[in-house]
Amino acid sequence: MDNYRILVLEDEQDIRDLISFQLKAEGHHVTAVDSADKAISLLEKGEKYHLMLVDWMLPGTLSGLEFTRKIRQHRDYKEIPVIMVTALTQPDDVVAGLDAGADDYITKPFDLDVLQARVRVQLRANYTQLGAQSTPGNLIVKDILRIDTAKCRVSVSEQEVQLTSTEYKIIVTLAQKPGHVFTRTQLISQIQGENIHVTGRTLDTHIAGLRKKLAEGGQLVETIRG
């Protein structure tokens, strides 16, 4: 059983708790919030999800429909499957939800087995054949730095940065363990490989070049003396 990260956006606590319980019983990691504002706050902090269940009618500044439109305009989230779960049952509502970017539309009241089946369909369709597709597991986001390990791309403030193979290995190694202090020997063992030979002296040169290319993102790479 695969363990996916799922965001549940539902303002009715009983329904929110019920959906969360069912998804957790399937082995998924569930985050549940009651407003689009809270969901956006999580996304802005770099939280990553494989699927979102979104209620249409929500308190706060954004409805579920507006939230779906908003994330579909963001390159980091536009491919994440969205299932709209709502009490609005008219054909025009279904069309509006799908046009806003929802991948599926479930009306309340709903059968929990049907909900689980719809979730499985979306996860299977999007994540069983990944290839070079970017998924939440392939993305490392830290402040203005974004690393897509599936495509070996690094960007700072949404501007792609061209790195050498060694520089790329260094930044991925550091970003995968934020706050961890690596010795020179540990870093060298992580990045050493075919066509890459690094010594302690050249490592300093590579890191200096990496900082320069990252520009304002270079401050994320910190040297601890001694």
Side-chain angles (χ1 to χ4, degrees):
M1 179 166 53
D2 293 310
N3 302 119
Y4 292 100
R5 290 175 56 83
I6 298 176
L7 177 65
V8 175
L9 180 48
E10 167 63 61
D11 66 320
E12 295 184 50
Q13 184 173 347
D14 290 345
I15 297 177
R16 186 171 66 250
D17 291 346
L18 182 61
I19 292 175
S20 299
F21 177 81
Q22 291 296 320
L23 293 174
K24 288 178 181 177
E26 288 290 302
H28 302 306
H29 301 285
V30 180
T31 300
V33 293
D34 59 6
S35 72
D37 295 328
K38 292 179 181 178
I40 289 174
S41 178
L42 290 172
L43 296 177
E44 288 177 342
K45 290 177 181 177
E47 295 294 331
K48 307 174 187 69
Y49 303 98
H50 295 92
L51 180 141
M52 299 183 190
L53 291 167
V54 180
D55 184 20
W56 183 320
M57 293 179 288
L58 296 168
T61 57
L62 293 176
S63 68
L65 192 72
E66 293 164 332
F67 170 79
T68 301
R69 287 199 188 103
K70 187 177 182 68
I71 65 170
R72 285 297 181 241
Q73 295 171 0
H74 196 294
R75 71 177 189 178
D76 289 346
Y77 316 122
K78 64 181 180 181
E79 302 298 333
I80 297 176
V82 173
I83 300 176
M84 190 156 283
V85 184
T86 175
L88 300 175
T89 61
Q90 295 300 311
D92 288 348
D93 298 325
V94 178
V95 170
L98 297 175
D99 283 346
D103 297 279
D104 201 352
Y105 193 103
I106 299 176
T107 58
K108 300 175 183 178
F110 53 84
D111 183 275
L112 286 171
D113 289 336
V114 172
L115 177 68
Q116 291 278 28
R118 299 285 186 90
V119 167
R120 287 195 296 270
V121 166
Q122 290 301 324
L123 292 174
R124 186 166 62 241
N126 283 272
Y127 300 115
T128 54
Q129 295 180 338
L130 297 177
Q133 178 182 352
S134 296
T135 69
N138 297 130
L139 297 177
I140 303 172
V141 180
K142 175 63 177 175
D143 296 333
I144 57 176
L145 175 69
R146 182 178 184 273
I147 305 172
D148 185 338
T149 58
K151 299 177 181 178
C152 295
R153 290 180 177 173
V154 177
S155 61
V156 175
S157 298
E158 301 188 0
Q159 297 296 315
E160 188 168 349
V161 180
Q162 299 299 322
L163 302 179
T164 66
S165 178
T166 303
E167 290 166 346
Y168 175 77
K169 282 192 173 185
I170 291 171
I171 193 61
V172 170
T173 298
L174 295 175
Q176 285 176 334
K177 288 189 175 182
H180 183 85
V181 179
F182 290 89
T183 64
R184 280 184 172 83
T185 302
Q186 289 172 331
L187 263 183
I188 289 171
S189 68
Q190 290 286 333
I191 65 179
Q192 202 85 268
E194 184 179 357
N195 299 323
I196 295 179
H197 180 70
V198 180
T199 65
R201 182 174 296 178
T202 59
L203 179 63
D204 293 346
T205 303
H206 288 302
I207 290 178
L210 174 62
R211 279 202 183 100
K212 184 176 181 180
K213 290 182 180 180
L214 293 177
E216 56 185 328
Q219 63 184 345
L220 296 173
V221 180
E222 184 177 356
T223 298
I224 307 296
R225 299 193 181 279

